[in-house]
Amino acid sequence: MKPWTEFDFSDVVPEQVAEIPGHLAQIAYPEHFKTVMGLFLPIYKAKERSERALALTYELIELNPAYYFVWDFRFEIVRAIGSDVFDYKLVGLTPSAPAQPETSEDGEFVNQFTLSKSKNYQIWNYRALLLDRHNELWYRGEKLIVSMVLEDDAKNFHAWSHLRWVITQSVKHAPQAFDAVQLLADCTALLLEDVFNNSVWAYRFFLLKTYPSLFDIDEELKLVTAHIASAPSNESAWSYLSGVLDDKASSTTAATSSAVQFALAFQDEPLALQFLAEHAQENVSTYYSLLAEKEPFAKSFWLAQVAE
């Protein structure tokens, strides 16, 4: 894409960026920003969908990545001029042989921006707007980009949220895009890399709810108790254990009983005591009392549970 300076704007009457004289919190706009925004505002108001308008959005996003209305207008331009932002059909992208998706010039900007500024919400929202609803390669390409972001930041909230959204959309519009069994296996591998990553535990629970056929309560108990045994102070694993037991569609009395028996071996851990207080059928008040002793800063709260 040509830079905005190579386009002709002689027909555009620039607008002055609003400033309030004497304002206590006056924004010190750089002159370059004033120039670009001065050209953008009349084009935006005229709803001009053109290559030069697209070039202006690129420059403004580089100057201020948080501009929602600029991102929104950029999407309107791309949709109007028919730019193939992500042309995944050009590559043989499969789950077993992932490759960097081929993209248009605009798509390359979007991917590079995602990888360099992955904490920016607007880029993830923009990617969602570009959804090619029935293109299986789109979903796989999005998962690939998310994986690349998570390699650098394994707890990036925006990336995890986008991945869950992509999988949810694929179930609705392109069921063959992902192998559910492989997704769960990948999640198992991520837990081995970092058992304390709460985002992975939450993602695993999401997968089991999205693909109910994968939910084997005995297998989940085996996995989570093994991780708890290796790190008893891991709150994420205890929360996951409670979550799978509280899932009425898959839980069983036998599973709960088994988990309670397991937790009894870790009564020195406040997390185990809390689990027992919430899931055991007997001695509940005893567990809350022990919690009050273990956590004096929360003593009144735990004793209040006994009173109830």
Side-chain angles (χ1 to χ4, degrees), residues 1 74 78 83-88 100-114 126-127 130 145:
M1 179 189 301
R74 182 183 183 88
V78 169
S83 173
D84 290 326
V85 179
F86 301 110
D87 192 1
Y88 294 126
Q100 178 66 37
E102 291 288 339
T103 64
S104 67
E105 193 171 356
D106 186 46
E108 186 61 28
F109 153 71
V110 174
N111 279 344
Q112 290 303 320
F113 189 98
T114 303
Y126 186 73
R127 298 190 77 97
L130 295 170
I145 289 294

Side-chain angles (χ1 to χ4, degrees), residues 9 52 70 72 92 96 116 120 136 207 216 244 263 271 292-293 308:
F9 292 98
R52 70 176 184 174
V70 177
D72 186 63
S96 59
S116 63
N120 180 284
E136 293 179 10
L207 288 177
D216 183 321
V244 295
L271 292 171
E293 294 177 13
E308 291 182 1

Side-chain angles (χ1 to χ4, degrees), residues 274 278 288 291-292 295-308:
Q274 183 178 346
E278 294 172 350
Y288 279 125
L291 271 170
E295 298 183 336
F297 59 88
K299 182 175 181 179
S300 59
F301 174 79
W302 294 125
L303 292 180
Q305 309 307 309
V306 176
E308 291 182 1

Side-chain angles (χ1 to χ4, degrees), residues 14 30-31 33 39 75 113 120 146 159 218 229 255 267 270 272 277 285 289 308:
E31 289 302 317
F33 175 85
L39 290 171
F75 173 68
F113 189 98
N120 180 284
V146 169
D218 294 327
Q267 291 192 53
S285 60
S289 297
E308 291 182 1

Side-chain angles (χ1 to χ4, degrees), residues 14 26 35 56 82 91 96 98 106 153 177 181 203 206 208 212 254-255 262-263 289 300 304:
Q26 186 70 257
T35 299
L56 286 175
V91 297
S96 59
D106 186 46
D153 179 4
V181 174
Y203 173 60
F206 159 79
L208 296 180
F262 166 80
S289 297
S300 59

Side-chain angles (χ1 to χ4, degrees), residues 61-76:
I61 286 169
E62 286 292 303
L63 293 171
N64 185 355
Y67 260 134
Y68 171 77
F69 85 98
V70 177
W71 280 106
D72 186 63
F73 189 55
R74 182 183 183 88
F75 173 68
E76 292 297 328

